[in-house]
Short mmCIF file of all heavy atoms in Angstrom, two decimals:
data_model
loop_
_atom_site.label_atom_id
_atom_site.label_comp_id
_atom_site.label_asym_id
_atom_site.label_seq_id
_atom_site.Cartn_x
_atom_site.Cartn_y
_atom_site.Cartn_z
N ARG A 24 -12.37 -2.36 10.99
CA ARG A 24 -11.22 -2.42 10.09
C ARG A 24 -11.67 -2.58 8.65
O ARG A 24 -12.76 -3.04 8.39
CB ARG A 24 -10.36 -3.63 10.42
CG ARG A 24 -9.73 -3.60 11.75
CD ARG A 24 -8.97 -4.90 12.02
NE ARG A 24 -8.49 -4.90 13.37
CZ ARG A 24 -9.22 -5.23 14.42
NH1 ARG A 24 -10.45 -5.65 14.25
NH2 ARG A 24 -8.73 -5.16 15.63
N ILE A 25 -10.75 -2.23 7.75
CA ILE A 25 -10.94 -2.59 6.35
C ILE A 25 -9.74 -3.44 5.94
O ILE A 25 -8.66 -3.35 6.53
CB ILE A 25 -11.10 -1.36 5.43
CG1 ILE A 25 -9.84 -0.50 5.42
CG2 ILE A 25 -12.30 -0.55 5.85
CD1 ILE A 25 -9.89 0.60 4.37
N GLY A 26 -9.92 -4.29 4.94
CA GLY A 26 -8.83 -5.14 4.50
C GLY A 26 -9.30 -6.19 3.53
O GLY A 26 -10.37 -6.07 2.93
N ASP A 27 -8.51 -7.23 3.38
CA ASP A 27 -8.89 -8.29 2.46
C ASP A 27 -9.74 -9.33 3.16
O ASP A 27 -9.88 -9.33 4.38
CB ASP A 27 -7.66 -8.91 1.79
CG ASP A 27 -6.73 -9.62 2.78
OD1 ASP A 27 -7.04 -9.65 3.98
OD2 ASP A 27 -5.71 -10.14 2.33
N ALA A 28 -10.31 -10.22 2.38
CA ALA A 28 -11.21 -11.23 2.95
C ALA A 28 -10.48 -12.50 3.37
O ALA A 28 -11.06 -13.33 4.04
CB ALA A 28 -12.28 -11.58 1.92
N ALA A 29 -9.25 -12.62 2.97
CA ALA A 29 -8.50 -13.86 3.26
C ALA A 29 -8.02 -13.89 4.70
O ALA A 29 -8.01 -12.89 5.40
CB ALA A 29 -7.30 -13.96 2.32
N ALA A 30 -7.63 -15.06 5.10
CA ALA A 30 -7.07 -15.23 6.45
C ALA A 30 -5.82 -16.09 6.33
O ALA A 30 -5.76 -17.20 6.80
CB ALA A 30 -8.09 -15.88 7.38
N ASP A 31 -4.83 -15.54 5.65
CA ASP A 31 -3.60 -16.29 5.47
C ASP A 31 -2.40 -15.44 5.89
O ASP A 31 -2.57 -14.38 6.48
CB ASP A 31 -3.45 -16.77 4.01
CG ASP A 31 -3.49 -15.62 3.01
OD1 ASP A 31 -3.14 -14.48 3.38
OD2 ASP A 31 -3.87 -15.88 1.86
N ALA A 32 -1.21 -15.91 5.57
CA ALA A 32 0.01 -15.22 6.01
C ALA A 32 0.14 -13.81 5.44
O ALA A 32 0.80 -12.96 6.02
CB ALA A 32 1.23 -16.05 5.64
N LYS A 33 -0.47 -13.55 4.29
CA LYS A 33 -0.37 -12.23 3.67
C LYS A 33 -1.61 -11.37 3.96
O LYS A 33 -1.87 -10.41 3.28
CB LYS A 33 -0.20 -12.38 2.17
CG LYS A 33 1.11 -13.04 1.79
CD LYS A 33 1.25 -13.12 0.30
CE LYS A 33 2.57 -13.78 -0.05
NZ LYS A 33 2.75 -13.90 -1.49
N ASP A 34 -2.34 -11.72 4.98
CA ASP A 34 -3.57 -11.01 5.36
C ASP A 34 -3.25 -9.57 5.74
O ASP A 34 -2.20 -9.28 6.30
CB ASP A 34 -4.20 -11.74 6.55
CG ASP A 34 -5.62 -11.30 6.81
OD1 ASP A 34 -6.28 -10.87 5.87
OD2 ASP A 34 -6.04 -11.40 7.97
N TRP A 35 -4.14 -8.66 5.42
CA TRP A 35 -3.97 -7.27 5.80
C TRP A 35 -5.29 -6.69 6.28
O TRP A 35 -6.34 -6.96 5.72
CB TRP A 35 -3.38 -6.44 4.67
CG TRP A 35 -4.12 -6.50 3.37
CD1 TRP A 35 -3.98 -7.46 2.39
CD2 TRP A 35 -5.13 -5.62 2.89
NE1 TRP A 35 -4.83 -7.21 1.35
CE2 TRP A 35 -5.55 -6.08 1.62
CE3 TRP A 35 -5.73 -4.47 3.42
CZ2 TRP A 35 -6.53 -5.44 0.87
CZ3 TRP A 35 -6.71 -3.83 2.66
CH2 TRP A 35 -7.08 -4.31 1.40
N ARG A 36 -5.23 -5.93 7.34
CA ARG A 36 -6.39 -5.26 7.91
C ARG A 36 -5.90 -3.94 8.50
O ARG A 36 -4.89 -3.89 9.18
CB ARG A 36 -7.01 -6.09 9.03
CG ARG A 36 -7.45 -7.46 8.61
CD ARG A 36 -8.93 -7.63 8.84
NE ARG A 36 -9.40 -8.98 8.71
CZ ARG A 36 -9.52 -9.63 7.57
NH1 ARG A 36 -9.12 -9.09 6.48
NH2 ARG A 36 -10.02 -10.83 7.52
N TRP A 37 -6.67 -2.87 8.23
CA TRP A 37 -6.29 -1.56 8.74
C TRP A 37 -7.42 -0.92 9.51
O TRP A 37 -8.54 -0.85 9.05
CB TRP A 37 -5.89 -0.63 7.60
CG TRP A 37 -4.72 -1.10 6.82
CD1 TRP A 37 -3.52 -1.54 7.31
CD2 TRP A 37 -4.63 -1.21 5.41
NE1 TRP A 37 -2.69 -1.90 6.28
CE2 TRP A 37 -3.35 -1.71 5.11
CE3 TRP A 37 -5.50 -0.93 4.37
CZ2 TRP A 37 -2.93 -1.92 3.81
CZ3 TRP A 37 -5.08 -1.14 3.07
CH2 TRP A 37 -3.81 -1.64 2.80
N THR A 38 -7.10 -0.41 10.68
CA THR A 38 -8.05 0.41 11.43
C THR A 38 -8.00 1.81 10.82
O THR A 38 -7.12 2.13 10.02
CB THR A 38 -7.64 0.51 12.91
OG1 THR A 38 -6.36 1.17 12.98
CG2 THR A 38 -7.56 -0.86 13.56
N TYR A 39 -8.92 2.68 11.22
CA TYR A 39 -8.89 4.06 10.73
C TYR A 39 -7.59 4.75 11.16
O TYR A 39 -7.06 5.59 10.45
CB TYR A 39 -10.13 4.85 11.18
CG TYR A 39 -10.20 5.13 12.65
CD1 TYR A 39 -9.60 6.26 13.19
CD2 TYR A 39 -10.88 4.27 13.52
CE1 TYR A 39 -9.67 6.52 14.55
CE2 TYR A 39 -10.95 4.53 14.87
CZ TYR A 39 -10.34 5.66 15.38
OH TYR A 39 -10.40 5.92 16.72
N LYS A 40 -7.04 4.38 12.32
CA LYS A 40 -5.79 4.97 12.78
C LYS A 40 -4.63 4.60 11.88
O LYS A 40 -3.81 5.44 11.51
CB LYS A 40 -5.50 4.53 14.22
CG LYS A 40 -6.46 5.09 15.24
CD LYS A 40 -6.15 4.57 16.62
CE LYS A 40 -7.15 5.09 17.63
NZ LYS A 40 -6.88 4.57 18.99
N LYS A 41 -4.57 3.33 11.51
CA LYS A 41 -3.48 2.86 10.64
C LYS A 41 -3.59 3.49 9.25
O LYS A 41 -2.59 3.93 8.68
CB LYS A 41 -3.54 1.34 10.54
CG LYS A 41 -2.54 0.72 9.60
CD LYS A 41 -1.16 0.70 10.17
CE LYS A 41 -0.25 -0.08 9.24
NZ LYS A 41 1.03 -0.34 9.79
N LEU A 42 -4.79 3.58 8.71
CA LEU A 42 -4.96 4.17 7.39
C LEU A 42 -4.66 5.67 7.42
O LEU A 42 -4.05 6.20 6.48
CB LEU A 42 -6.37 3.91 6.86
CG LEU A 42 -6.55 4.17 5.37
CD1 LEU A 42 -5.54 3.41 4.52
CD2 LEU A 42 -7.95 3.78 4.96
N ALA A 43 -5.02 6.37 8.47
CA ALA A 43 -4.67 7.79 8.61
C ALA A 43 -3.16 7.95 8.60
O ALA A 43 -2.62 8.83 7.91
CB ALA A 43 -5.27 8.37 9.89
N TRP A 44 -2.46 7.11 9.33
CA TRP A 44 -0.99 7.14 9.37
C TRP A 44 -0.41 6.90 7.99
O TRP A 44 0.51 7.60 7.56
CB TRP A 44 -0.47 6.09 10.36
CG TRP A 44 1.01 5.92 10.31
CD1 TRP A 44 1.95 6.75 10.88
CD2 TRP A 44 1.73 4.90 9.63
NE1 TRP A 44 3.21 6.27 10.59
CE2 TRP A 44 3.10 5.13 9.84
CE3 TRP A 44 1.35 3.80 8.89
CZ2 TRP A 44 4.09 4.31 9.31
CZ3 TRP A 44 2.33 2.97 8.36
CH2 TRP A 44 3.68 3.24 8.58
N MET A 45 -0.97 5.94 7.25
CA MET A 45 -0.46 5.63 5.91
C MET A 45 -0.66 6.81 4.96
O MET A 45 0.24 7.14 4.18
CB MET A 45 -1.12 4.37 5.37
CG MET A 45 -0.70 3.13 6.15
SD MET A 45 -1.50 1.65 5.56
CE MET A 45 -0.34 1.20 4.29
N LEU A 46 -1.82 7.46 5.02
CA LEU A 46 -2.06 8.61 4.16
C LEU A 46 -1.13 9.77 4.53
O LEU A 46 -0.64 10.49 3.66
CB LEU A 46 -3.51 9.06 4.24
CG LEU A 46 -4.55 8.12 3.65
CD1 LEU A 46 -5.96 8.68 3.86
CD2 LEU A 46 -4.32 7.86 2.18
N ALA A 47 -0.90 9.96 5.81
CA ALA A 47 -0.05 11.07 6.27
C ALA A 47 1.42 10.85 5.92
O ALA A 47 2.13 11.81 5.62
CB ALA A 47 -0.21 11.26 7.77
N THR A 48 1.87 9.61 5.95
CA THR A 48 3.30 9.36 5.79
C THR A 48 3.71 8.81 4.43
O THR A 48 4.86 8.99 4.02
CB THR A 48 3.80 8.39 6.88
OG1 THR A 48 3.09 7.16 6.79
CG2 THR A 48 3.62 8.99 8.26
N HIS A 49 2.83 8.15 3.71
CA HIS A 49 3.22 7.54 2.43
C HIS A 49 2.66 8.25 1.21
O HIS A 49 3.18 8.09 0.12
CB HIS A 49 2.80 6.07 2.39
CG HIS A 49 3.50 5.24 3.41
ND1 HIS A 49 4.87 5.03 3.38
CD2 HIS A 49 3.05 4.59 4.50
CE1 HIS A 49 5.22 4.26 4.40
NE2 HIS A 49 4.14 3.99 5.10
N LEU A 50 1.60 9.00 1.37
CA LEU A 50 1.04 9.77 0.27
C LEU A 50 1.85 11.06 0.17
O LEU A 50 1.96 11.80 1.16
CB LEU A 50 -0.43 10.08 0.57
CG LEU A 50 -1.31 10.60 -0.53
CD1 LEU A 50 -1.45 9.57 -1.65
CD2 LEU A 50 -2.68 10.93 0.01
N THR A 51 2.47 11.33 -0.97
CA THR A 51 3.36 12.49 -1.07
C THR A 51 2.75 13.64 -1.85
O THR A 51 3.20 14.77 -1.72
CB THR A 51 4.69 12.09 -1.71
OG1 THR A 51 4.43 11.51 -2.99
CG2 THR A 51 5.44 11.09 -0.83
N ALA A 52 1.74 13.36 -2.67
CA ALA A 52 1.08 14.41 -3.45
C ALA A 52 -0.35 14.57 -2.97
O ALA A 52 -0.93 13.66 -2.37
CB ALA A 52 1.10 14.04 -4.94
N LYS A 53 -0.93 15.72 -3.23
CA LYS A 53 -2.30 16.00 -2.80
C LYS A 53 -3.28 15.39 -3.81
O LYS A 53 -3.35 15.82 -4.95
CB LYS A 53 -2.53 17.51 -2.71
CG LYS A 53 -3.89 17.90 -2.20
CD LYS A 53 -3.98 19.40 -2.04
CE LYS A 53 -5.29 19.78 -1.39
NZ LYS A 53 -5.27 21.19 -0.97
N PRO A 54 -4.04 14.38 -3.39
CA PRO A 54 -5.01 13.78 -4.31
C PRO A 54 -6.19 14.73 -4.54
O PRO A 54 -6.46 15.61 -3.72
CB PRO A 54 -5.47 12.52 -3.58
CG PRO A 54 -5.24 12.80 -2.14
CD PRO A 54 -4.07 13.74 -2.08
N GLY A 55 -6.87 14.54 -5.67
CA GLY A 55 -8.04 15.37 -5.96
C GLY A 55 -9.19 15.07 -5.03
O GLY A 55 -9.88 15.96 -4.55
N VAL A 56 -9.40 13.80 -4.74
CA VAL A 56 -10.47 13.33 -3.87
C VAL A 56 -10.10 11.92 -3.43
O VAL A 56 -9.34 11.22 -4.10
CB VAL A 56 -11.83 13.35 -4.61
CG1 VAL A 56 -11.86 12.35 -5.75
CG2 VAL A 56 -12.99 13.14 -3.68
N VAL A 57 -10.62 11.51 -2.27
CA VAL A 57 -10.38 10.15 -1.77
C VAL A 57 -11.74 9.52 -1.49
O VAL A 57 -12.63 10.16 -0.91
CB VAL A 57 -9.54 10.16 -0.47
CG1 VAL A 57 -9.38 8.76 0.09
CG2 VAL A 57 -8.18 10.80 -0.72
N LEU A 58 -11.90 8.27 -1.91
CA LEU A 58 -13.10 7.50 -1.59
C LEU A 58 -12.67 6.25 -0.85
O LEU A 58 -11.83 5.50 -1.33
CB LEU A 58 -13.86 7.11 -2.86
CG LEU A 58 -15.03 6.14 -2.66
CD1 LEU A 58 -16.14 6.76 -1.80
CD2 LEU A 58 -15.59 5.68 -4.00
N ILE A 59 -13.23 6.05 0.34
CA ILE A 59 -13.04 4.82 1.08
C ILE A 59 -14.24 3.95 0.75
O ILE A 59 -15.36 4.24 1.17
CB ILE A 59 -12.95 5.05 2.61
CG1 ILE A 59 -11.87 6.08 2.94
CG2 ILE A 59 -12.72 3.72 3.33
CD1 ILE A 59 -10.46 5.68 2.60
#
Side-chain angles (χ1 to χ4, degrees):
R24 296 176 186 82
I25 63 171
D27 64 1
D31 57 26
K33 295 182 180 179
D34 194 27
W35 54 275
R36 301 240 191 288
W37 298 311
T38 63
Y39 68 88
K40 292 177 182 179
K41 176 76 173 190
L42 195 54
W44 172 79
M45 292 178 87
L46 292 177
T48 59
H49 296 295
L50 193 64
T51 57
K53 184 176 186 168
V56 66
V57 176
L58 172 64
I59 306 295

